[in-house]
């Protein structure tokens, strides 16, 4: 468990991006606002990949399976990353030490404009409920990040639409996920003192993950509809591939 925390801190220790209000000067409509919002994901994706590659069980998978689970599970992992960095007191997602509150507030307003008030309020409500349920414990959320990484398919629609290839080493992926799910539950038993309390919170967390899955899917479909025609000079190809925009 300590190794997960250390790996996360190393991966996200420094930010190469400097955020300021001038970044918004070129935003003239919803499309340019979406492009700017998604461009912020690029550094997050690279740091998440660095974090994922520090997990021993991930590195033991074959190259194809590593590619599949990163590409198809990254959207919900990014969503959980935002939840991890949601500040209940300030009601803001502060994605980096380099980000000011003013920039975070401007990004929040931009998201309301680009994605719509309804889905953004649902996201904030979900972030807040997960933070309350976990007592704002980053270890729990970091472990959930790892569990989500090893999910063979976080979306039933991917299976129905045949979007997600089947991993070759499905048993190995399942066993890796089980290791961290068991670690999370044992940590919660220790944290909340009784098995019953831990089990209740654990089951509620699973419900929240299902809600997150639906919201992540809704965001992804909206981005695909709005930005399918973006050029590589407008959005980084890696970001487009991970979010399945192209």
């Amino acid at each position: 468990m300590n190794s997960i925390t250390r790996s996360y801190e190393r991966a996200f220790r420094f930010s190469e991006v400097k955020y300021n209000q001038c970044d918004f000067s070129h935003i003239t409509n919803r499309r340019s606002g979406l492009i700017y919002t998604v461009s912020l994901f690029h550094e997050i994706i690279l740091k998440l990949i660095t974090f994922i590659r520090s997990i021993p069980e991930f590195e033991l998978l074959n190259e194809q399976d590593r590619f599949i689970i990163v590409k198809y599970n990254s959207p919900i992992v990014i969503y959980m990353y935002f939840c991890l960095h949601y500040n209940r007191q300030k009601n803001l997602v502060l994605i980096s030490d380099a980000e000011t509150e003013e920039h975070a507030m401007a990004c929040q307003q931009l998201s309301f404009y680009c994605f719509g008030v309804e889905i953004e309020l649902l996201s904030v409500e979900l972030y807040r409920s997960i933070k309350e349920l976990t007592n704002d414990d980053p270890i729990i959320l970091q472990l959930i990040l790892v569990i989500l990484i090893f999910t063979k398919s976080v979306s039933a629609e991917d299976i129905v639409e045949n979007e997600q290839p089947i991993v070759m080493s499905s048993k190995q992926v399942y066993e890796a996920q089980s290791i961290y799910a068991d670690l999370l539950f044992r940590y919660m038993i220790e944290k909340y003192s009784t098995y019953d309390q831990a089990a209740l919170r654990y089951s509620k967390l699973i419900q929240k993950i299902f809600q997150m899955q639906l919201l992540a899917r809704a965001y992804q479909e909206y981005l695909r509809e709005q930005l399918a025609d973006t050029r590589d000079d407008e959005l980084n190809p890696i970001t487009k591939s991970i979010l399945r925009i192209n």
Side-chain angles (χ1 to χ4, degrees):
M1 191 146 43
N2 290 335
S3 64
I4 293 293
T5 300
R6 287 194 299 270
S7 295
Y8 187 88
E9 290 174 350
R10 281 196 298 268
F12 290 92
R13 183 176 300 167
F14 301 110
S15 175
E16 296 177 0
V17 177
K18 303 301 179 184
Y19 303 99
N20 59 71
Q21 300 302 102
C22 296
D23 295 339
F24 300 95
S25 60
H26 64 284
I27 297 174
T28 57
N29 52 35
R30 181 174 280 105
R31 186 178 186 277
S32 59
L34 283 170
I35 289 174
Y36 173 73
T37 301
V38 174
S39 71
L40 297 178
F41 293 176
H42 181 64
E43 186 186 26
I44 295 171
I45 289 170
L46 295 181
K47 289 181 178 294
L48 279 173
I49 291 173
T50 298
F51 170 60
I52 292 167
R53 295 202 62 179
S54 70
I55 300 168
E57 291 80 3
F58 176 81
E59 286 297 289
L60 291 174
L61 297 174
N62 64 66
E63 185 176 352
Q64 180 179 335
D65 286 352
R66 291 200 302 266
F67 173 80
I68 289 171
I69 64 175
V70 167
K71 178 171 181 177
Y72 288 91
N73 292 345
S74 285
I76 195 170
V77 172
I78 292 169
Y79 202 117
M80 179 55 74
Y81 169 83
F82 286 141
C83 181
L84 179 57
H85 289 270
Y86 172 74
N87 186 302
R88 281 192 292 167
Q89 287 70 41
K90 298 175 181 177
N91 194 31
L92 289 172
V93 175
L94 291 161
I95 62 175
S96 148
D97 291 338
E99 184 177 28
T100 63
E101 286 187 35
E102 291 76 12
H103 184 272
M105 290 175 65
C107 283
Q108 186 182 67
Q109 292 302 312
L110 182 61
S111 291
F112 276 104
Y113 168 64
C114 291
F115 295 103
V117 173
E118 183 178 358
I119 193 170
E120 285 299 306
L121 288 178
L122 286 172
S123 288
V124 170
E125 182 182 346
L126 183 58
Y127 294 156
R128 180 174 290 276
S129 65
I130 290 175
K131 287 282 193 164
E132 290 173 354
L133 187 59
T134 60
N135 297 125
D136 223 343
D137 188 333
I139 293 176
I140 293 177
L141 299 183
Q142 288 166 10
L143 285 170
I144 293 175
L145 278 179
V146 179
I147 292 167
L148 291 174
I149 288 163
F150 289 110
T151 302
K152 286 187 287 184
S153 179
V154 295
S155 173
E157 289 89 343
D158 284 345
I159 299 173
V160 173
E161 297 173 8
N162 198 29
E163 288 189 15
Q164 179 169 350
I166 299 173
V167 294
M168 296 174 62
S169 306
S170 58
K171 182 181 179 183
Q172 192 176 356
V173 173
Y174 171 76
E175 288 174 347
Q177 186 187 55
S178 297
I179 289 170
Y180 292 98
D182 180 65
L183 184 61
L184 172 61
F185 189 60
R186 286 191 286 111
Y187 174 77
M188 291 179 72
I189 291 174
E190 182 179 343
K191 179 180 177 68
Y192 298 112
S193 301
T194 69
Y195 179 93
D196 288 344
Q197 273 294 316
L200 178 63
R201 289 176 183 265
Y202 190 86
S203 64
K204 287 183 177 180
L205 270 177
I206 292 173
Q207 294 173 13
K208 299 298 180 185
I209 296 303
F210 286 144
Q211 294 175 31
M212 184 175 289
Q213 173 186 330
L214 294 174
L215 283 171
R217 180 77 179 190
Y219 277 111
Q220 197 172 350
E221 289 178 349
Y222 182 74
L223 288 173
R224 189 183 300 177
E225 291 171 1
Q226 298 295 318
L227 301 179
D229 61 343
T230 51
R231 305 182 307 273
D232 287 350
D233 62 333
E234 291 181 296
L235 274 181
N236 185 279
I238 295 175
T239 304
K240 290 172 67 175
S241 177
I242 290 290
L243 297 177
R244 283 184 279 171
I245 291 173
N246 52 355

